[in-house]
């Protein structure tokens, strides 16, 4: 099983911190965001390779960081150098798949969030379901819902529909950027792009895929800290206590 980590963004809302440094390598407490994510997932001992998908501007930073890790880590440079020329998350995923010839189940996550619960719970849920899966959490704030990906589910957690950033959210279930795709569905990403699937937001592939095959949604057992701007970074520095 592979773990692909989306880290090719430019984090312009965090300037000047990220003007010349990648957001996933910012420290939260005593560890980088990437270290929190990878060290947690690695406790399950089923990921044989972590793939950091970077832009060209920051690829060297990730390569230097990877030298100090014990896990097998591969840094993929998508060749872009500016926010305006970025490929988008879905195309970045497909780029890494093609570059590394990946033919495996994949955990795909954003590299700029920290969680207060273990991602291994989500992976175990997906392995038990034997389908591609997403995570979900309840959001009461309509304004926040309209800026997020939202899903509709049935009584068995099956994903019925997903929409990205709609002014009229279909439900209160938000879908954060943490996904599990079975091998057969990983192979469908290229087809989704050819069919006109959105490529900027990673959830766009979920929108396409849930109409083609069964997917399920795991309810988050804790909190996610999304580091989007300087204010949220300062807040997580004060509030984050690690993984429970």
């Amino acid at each position: 099983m592979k773990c692909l980590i989306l880290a090719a963004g430019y984090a312009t809302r965090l300037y000047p911190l990220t003007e010349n440094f990648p957001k996933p390598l910012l420290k939260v407490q005593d560890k980088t965001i990437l270290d929190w994510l990878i060290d947690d997932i690695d406790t399950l001992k089923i990921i044989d390779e972590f793939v950091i998908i970077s832009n060209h501007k920051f690829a060297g930073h990730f390569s230097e960081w990877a030298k100090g890790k014990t896990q097998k880590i591969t840094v993929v440079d998508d060749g872009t150098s500016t926010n305006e020329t970025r490929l988008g998350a879905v195309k970045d995923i497909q780029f890494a798949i093609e570059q590394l010839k990946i033919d495996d189940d994949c955990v795909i996550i954003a590299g700029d969030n920290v969680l207060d619960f273990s991602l291994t719970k989500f992976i175990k849920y997906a392995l038990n379901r034997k389908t591609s899966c997403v995570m979900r959490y309840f959001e009461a704030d309509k304004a926040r819902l309209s800026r997020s990906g939202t899903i509709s589910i049935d009584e068995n957690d099956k994903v019925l529909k997903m929409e990205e950033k709609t002014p009229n959210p279909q439900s209160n279930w938000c879908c954060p950027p943490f996904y599990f795709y079975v091998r057969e569905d990983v192979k469908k990403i290229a087809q989704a792009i050819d069919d006109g699937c959105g490529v900027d937001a990673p959830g766009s592939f979920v929108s396409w895929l849930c109409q083609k095959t069964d997917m399920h949604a795991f309810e988050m057992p804790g909190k996610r800290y999304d580091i989007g701007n300087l204010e949220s970074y300062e807040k997580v520095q004060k509030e984050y206590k690690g993984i429970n």
Side-chain angles (χ1 to χ4, degrees):
M1 187 184 299
K2 306 292 186 287
C3 178
L4 277 60
I5 301 178
L6 300 169
Y10 292 86
T12 55
R13 290 186 296 152
L14 270 166
Y15 281 12
L17 279 181
T18 54
E19 192 165 3
N20 294 296
F21 192 78
K23 177 163 63 166
L25 292 183
L26 291 177
K27 284 197 171 183
V28 174
Q29 307 305 343
D30 60 339
K31 297 173 68 170
T32 70
I33 298 169
L34 275 187
D35 283 312
W36 280 114
L37 294 167
I38 288 177
D39 291 350
D40 170 45
I41 293 171
D42 194 45
T43 62
L44 206 53
K45 300 302 179 187
I46 61 172
I47 302 294
D48 55 39
E49 183 177 15
F50 290 89
V51 179
I52 311 299
I53 307 171
S54 172
N55 55 54
H56 184 66
K57 182 177 180 180
F58 294 138
H61 289 274
F62 290 115
S63 295
E64 276 300 309
W65 161 84
K67 291 177 182 178
K69 300 295 289 178
T70 58
Q71 300 91 349
K72 180 181 179 181
I73 296 176
T74 302
V75 178
V76 173
D77 179 352
D78 75 1
T80 72
S81 296
T82 67
N83 191 54
E84 292 70 31
T85 59
R86 68 187 186 277
L87 297 183
V90 179
K91 281 191 173 180
D92 268 325
I93 294 166
Q94 183 58 22
F95 181 81
I97 289 168
E98 291 175 353
Q99 287 290 305
L100 302 178
K101 298 180 172 56
I102 294 173
D103 181 18
D104 204 346
D105 296 341
C106 289
V107 177
I108 300 179
I109 64 175
D112 58 357
N113 293 236
V114 288
L115 307 168
D116 69 2
F117 63 93
S118 176
L119 268 170
T120 61
K121 296 178 180 179
F122 170 56
I123 298 171
K124 289 176 182 177
Y125 171 91
L127 292 172
N128 184 58
R129 282 290 189 178
K130 297 182 172 61
T131 67
S132 294
C133 293
V134 299
M135 292 210 299
R136 61 183 166 98
Y137 66 92
F138 188 86
E139 177 56 71
D141 189 316
K142 283 274 179 87
R144 290 181 180 175
L145 282 170
S146 66
R147 299 192 297 269
S148 308
T150 55
I151 58 172
S152 295
I153 58 172
D154 69 11
E155 64 277 7
N156 295 312
D157 294 347
K158 181 181 175 181
V159 180
L160 304 175
K161 187 179 181 182
M162 173 160 178
E163 294 178 334
E164 281 285 357
K165 300 179 181 178
T166 173
N168 298 301
Q170 61 196 309
S171 78
N172 290 91
W173 289 118
C174 273
C175 182
F178 296 87
Y179 317 97
F180 178 97
Y181 295 122
V182 297
R183 171 186 280 142
E184 292 76 13
D185 291 341
V186 172
K187 296 176 182 178
K188 296 173 183 173
I189 297 176
Q191 180 188 342
I193 294 171
D194 288 344
D195 284 352
C197 163
V199 296
D200 194 41
S204 297
F205 178 57
V206 176
S207 301
W208 182 90
L209 185 63
C210 71
Q211 302 304 311
K212 310 291 182 183
T213 190
D214 286 350
M215 298 188 71
H216 293 88
F218 169 77
E219 185 172 359
M220 286 171 43
K223 186 175 180 180
R224 160 187 171 243
Y225 295 82
D226 180 15
I227 302 166
N229 54 31
L230 290 169
E231 182 182 2
S232 61
Y233 181 50
E234 290 171 2
K235 184 179 180 182
V236 75
Q237 288 282 49
K238 295 176 183 176
E239 295 184 1
Y240 191 63
K241 305 301 181 185
I243 297 169
N244 297 324

